[in-house]
Every structure is written in C-alpha cells, then in structure tokens.
C-alpha cells in the first residue's frame, strides 16, 4: 500500500469517528434539552391526561384493558410484594345491576338526564384492593397511575373513583356485587378507575406550583 493510500484511509477513519462523536453529542444535547411536552412522549401523556366524566357508549376492547392492567402490575412496590388485587369489569349486566341498587339509594343523583351508571357512565371499571392493615396503599396508588397513563396513551379516558367504592362497601344490597369481585378476606376495595372512550375534552384545572419547593 502506498503512503498516499495509507494517509487517505487514515483521514477517512478520522472523519468517520468525528462524525460519530458529533452525532452522539447532538443526540445527548437533544435528550438533555427535551423536557417539554412537545418532544417527550411520557411528559406529553402526563400533561394531556385529565379526569373524564363523560364517556361514549362504546365498549373498550379487551386487548386494551389487558394491556392497561399489565402496565399497572408493572408498577414498583416495596420489596416487590405487589400488595394489590385488581378486578376488571366490563360486563353491562354487572354495571347496570349495581347501578339499579345505587339509583334506589341515591335517587337525586340518578335524576340527572345524562345519568347511565354509577361509574360516571363508563363502560369498564377497574377495581383495586389493598391489604386491610393499611399497607400497600402507596403501591396501589402507583399501580393506578400506571394504568391511567397507559389508558391515556391508547386514546382512552379515565377517572379515579372513591364514592362508588364507599357505596359498595356500606350498602347491604350491593354485597352480592362486592362478593362477585372475589376479593381475598385480608384485602378490601381501595378505589376504582372508570375507563372508556371520552365524550368530552375538559380543560386542565390550575395547579398550585407553590406547593412544590426545592430545599437548599
């Protein structure tokens, strides 16, 4: 190989290394500067999610519900104990049946012309239970957050619910529906998540940024 060829090959190699280094630096710079919801899909999903209280009369595909639950149970938990029980209900018979009991007990709420069921009219509900001793509530919160963000990414709306859970636990006529969830004896329902296709697009409510502070 002549000296000129050796020099040429060396220059090409140096140029390639320089280009690769520059590209890596550019990618790093983009990643470090990409903190807005315009270029980060996770941030975009978080900032776009709002609680939905009006749903289309359209069932949610089982495949999507299964993926939502999969995302939920992949949430972190202390010592990986996974202290939760999850039940998914998309049966109209179940939802309408317990709603009839709710309407008898809460007739004023059922008088709303748009009222269809006690879960904000959602066609699917995810019930989350935690241990009765109070442990696991933090973990169940993270599980639920995973699920509502997963749902948002699939074009679905959600709304965390506490009222229907209190009703189910305290109304004797609702007991058959509570029993049907087959929650273990040492667990109790903590909250539920309504899931469905949104029939509204609410504006984000203001957040109080002063409640978050850096401590020097």
């Amino acid at each position: 190989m002549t000296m000129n060829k050796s020099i040429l090959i060396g220059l090409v190699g140096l140029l390639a290394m320089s280009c690769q280094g520059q590209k890596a630096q550019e990618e790093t710079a983009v990643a470090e500067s990409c903190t807005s919801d315009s270029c980060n899909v996770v941030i975009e999903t978080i900032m776009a999610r709002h609680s939905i209280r009006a749903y289309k009369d359209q069932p949610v595909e089982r495949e999507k519900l299964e993926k939502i639950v999969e995302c939920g149970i992949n949430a972190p938990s202390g010592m990986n104990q996974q202290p939760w029980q999850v039940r998914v209900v998309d049966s109209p018979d179940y939802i309408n049946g317990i709603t009839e009991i709710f309407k008898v007990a809460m007739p004023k709420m059922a008088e709303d012309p748009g009222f269809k069921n006690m879960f904000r009219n959602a066609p699917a509900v995810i019930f989350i239970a935690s241990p009765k001793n109070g442990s696991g509530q933090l973990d169940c919160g993270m599980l639920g957050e995973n699920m509502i963000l997963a749902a948002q990414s699939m074009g679905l709306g959600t709304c965390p619910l506490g009222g229907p859970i209190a009703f189910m636990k305290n109304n004797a006529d609702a007991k058959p529906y509570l029993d049907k969830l087959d929650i273990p004896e040492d667990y109790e329902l903590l909250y539920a998540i309504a899931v469905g296709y949104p029939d509204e697009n609410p504006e984000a409510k203001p957040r109080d940024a002063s409640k978050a502070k850096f401590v020097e």
Side-chain angles (χ1 to χ4, degrees), residues 80-154:
N80 195 33
Q81 291 185 11
Q82 305 174 47
W84 47 58
Q85 292 287 328
V86 181
R87 302 292 183 267
V88 183
V89 175
D90 60 355
S91 164
D93 289 341
Y94 184 104
I95 292 174
N96 294 335
I98 193 168
T99 295
E100 289 302 313
I101 297 171
F102 179 84
K103 287 163 66 175
V104 172
M106 305 285 189
K108 288 292 184 183
M109 296 184 68
E111 287 177 1
D112 188 319
F115 181 88
K116 295 178 183 177
N117 72 53
M118 61 186 284
F119 304 104
R120 296 288 182 181
N121 299 343
V125 187
I126 300 175
F127 294 94
I128 299 164
S130 63
K132 287 182 177 178
N133 63 13
S135 67
Q137 292 189 5
L138 172 62
D139 301 318
C140 285
M142 291 188 286
L143 168 129
E145 182 72 4
N146 269 21
M147 290 198 282
I148 64 177
L149 291 178
Q152 175 69 26
S153 73
M154 299 178 197

